[in-house]
Amino acid sequence: MSLLNKIFGHKNKPITIEELQKALKNREFVFYYQPEWDLKTNRAIGVEALMRWESPKRGYVPPMEFIPLLEESGIIHDFTYFLFDETLSALSELHKIDPSLFMAVNLSVSQLRENDLITTIQKNLEAHNIDPKCLECEFTESQELTDEILSNGVLDKLADLQIPVSIDDFGTGYSSFERLKQMNVRKLKIDLSFIRTLMEDEKNKSIVASMIKLGHDLGFPVLAEGVETTEQQEWLKQNGCDFAQGYWFSRALPLDQLKPFLSENLKK
Ligand code: G
Ligand code: G
Ligand code: MN
């Protein structure tokens, strides 16, 4: 069998739980970090951790292809510990460049249901000597997640610890204004689908402008995801958007490339 055949043959096989366990043990899951930008000062203010599975057999596997399986199999619990350990260790390195930078991590509904989530976070904040205010937990707005957040009190526990929370993919899911009002969040992250066609689509402009206003009226700063062009960036800035993230500023980078990138940016 040719090498290509071997690789593609393997790629088509369903991912197994054993394979994921092994991958976790072998540290095949790695984090890339995408900077978040302050549009007023034109500086990086923090980064979002985005997980990658670099499998020796499959090559790069996108998170959406294996996170559901991690969740179903319960391995996500071990993964959660690894996530905070790894990203907060990275943040302690970034703090040598700028102690005000924050680390945003994505959490899914099954991670929110873990009984020891708060303990895991606390342990890792202490181990890496990180101020809780420099961590940020992102939740995608979905009905299941919103119900979970509001019913199990995890938001209040995070608030007690002074850990900020943000709403991811805002505008695509289930956003009851009633719920939004109850949530104590650091920022709203407007989904990239609204930004992609922003300049061509007058309706998207109205929607994005309304989301910025809504966020501000409720007291939340607003970030636009998926900013790829200078025109989009200018429009967002003129329309009062606070923060942005996207290829225009930077792709998600491995830690060793992120450090020089941030050092350069902060010197400017
Ligand atoms: O990095 P992008 O490359 O493909 O990410 C795709 C999706 O995977 C995003 O919706 C992102 O929120 C999610 N994601 C990325 N990293 C993590 C992670 O560490 N945990 C969880 N639960 N979701 C993640
Ligand atoms: O759901 P969440 O917002 O966590 O996912 C972020 C996803 O968006 C990741 O897959 C990340 O790689 C991707 N992403 C980040 N910036 C851009 C961008 O400017 N354009 C596009 N198309 N995708 C982006
Ligand atoms: Mn996110």
Side-chain angles (χ1 to χ4, degrees):
M1 207 198 291
S2 75
L3 183 62
L4 275 183
N5 239 331
K6 258 191 192 161
I7 294 174
F8 288 115
H10 202 95
K11 273 195 170 167
N12 292 331
K13 277 195 205 147
I15 299 169
T16 64
I17 295 169
E18 291 72 34
E19 209 183 336
L20 289 175
Q21 270 165 334
K22 222 166 119 194
L24 190 58
K25 205 169 116 236
N26 295 345
R27 301 210 153 224
E28 290 168 21
F29 295 117
V30 291
F31 288 94
Y32 277 50
Y33 301 95
Q34 187 175 40
E36 296 190 12
W37 231 259
D38 184 326
L39 287 171
K40 288 188 196 83
T41 60
N42 196 28
R43 288 196 178 215
I45 47 169
V47 298
E48 175 179 1
L50 293 161
M51 191 196 355
R52 303 278 180 256
W53 180 16
E54 285 166 358
S55 158
K57 289 191 182 134
R58 296 175 180 273
Y60 166 67
V61 188
M64 280 355 237
E65 285 180 24
F66 62 89
I67 291 179
L69 193 61
L70 277 180
E71 294 189 339
E72 278 166 38
S73 63
I75 312 174
I76 191 103
H77 181 260
D78 295 335
F79 175 77
T80 307
Y81 197 93
F82 169 71
L83 162 84
F84 286 105
D85 188 19
E86 193 74 11
T87 57
L88 293 177
S89 153
L91 184 59
S92 69
E93 292 202 34
L94 298 182
H95 277 174
K96 293 177 195 151
I97 302 169
D98 176 354
S100 71
L101 291 168
F102 64 80
M103 175 65 66
V105 300
N106 293 283
L107 292 178
S108 65
V109 69
S110 63
Q111 291 176 296
L112 283 176
R113 290 199 181 111
E114 291 170 11
N115 296 326
D116 54 355
L117 176 69
I118 297 291
T119 321
T120 298
I121 296 177
Q122 271 179 311
K123 265 193 202 156
N124 282 298
L125 285 170
E126 274 168 36
H128 300 289
N129 198 16
I130 300 289
D131 181 343
K133 292 193 192 92
C134 293
L135 173 64
E136 180 173 315
C137 293
E138 288 190 12
F139 305 108
T140 304
E141 48 142 26
S142 69
Q143 177 158 14
E144 197 194 4
L145 201 61
T146 318
D147 288 347
E148 185 69 32
I149 288 174
L150 291 177
S151 68
N152 78 6
V154 70
L155 264 198
D156 296 334
K157 289 181 202 146
L158 291 170
D160 287 346
L161 289 174
Q162 307 210 311
I163 297 169
V165 163
S166 63
I167 312 257
D168 207 2
D169 303 339
F170 184 64
T172 58
Y174 176 84
S175 58
S176 137
F177 296 139
E178 178 57 29
R179 279 154 205 270
L180 201 55
K181 197 180 75 181
Q182 294 172 45
M183 292 195 211
N184 179 9
V185 303
R186 159 135 108 187
K187 65 177 175 253
L188 300 180
K189 299 186 82 171
I190 299 178
D191 190 66
L192 48 81
S193 59
F194 297 101
I195 310 301
R196 193 176 300 135
T197 54
L198 184 65
M199 301 322 289
E200 303 87 67
D201 186 339
E202 289 304 313
K203 284 187 180 161
N204 266 357
K205 282 187 186 151
S206 308
I207 292 169
V208 172
S210 305
M211 286 197 277
I212 296 170
K213 179 164 184 340
L214 173 71
H216 288 174
D217 287 352
L218 292 175
F220 309 135
V222 178
L223 176 144
E225 294 182 317
V227 176
E228 294 187 358
T229 67
T230 185
E231 290 78 18
Q232 292 166 345
Q233 191 237 170
E234 273 306 317
W235 188 93
L236 288 161
K237 205 168 143 180
Q238 276 161 19
N239 283 271
C241 190
D242 307 279
F243 311 118
Q245 187 178 352
Y247 299 160
W248 172 251
F249 305 98
S250 171
R251 288 177 177 267
L253 301 170
L255 186 62
D256 61 342
Q257 289 176 32
L258 177 75
K259 286 194 282 187
F261 178 81
L262 289 179
S263 302
E264 262 317 296
N265 168 253
L266 293 167
K267 262 192 249 155
K268 280 177 196 159

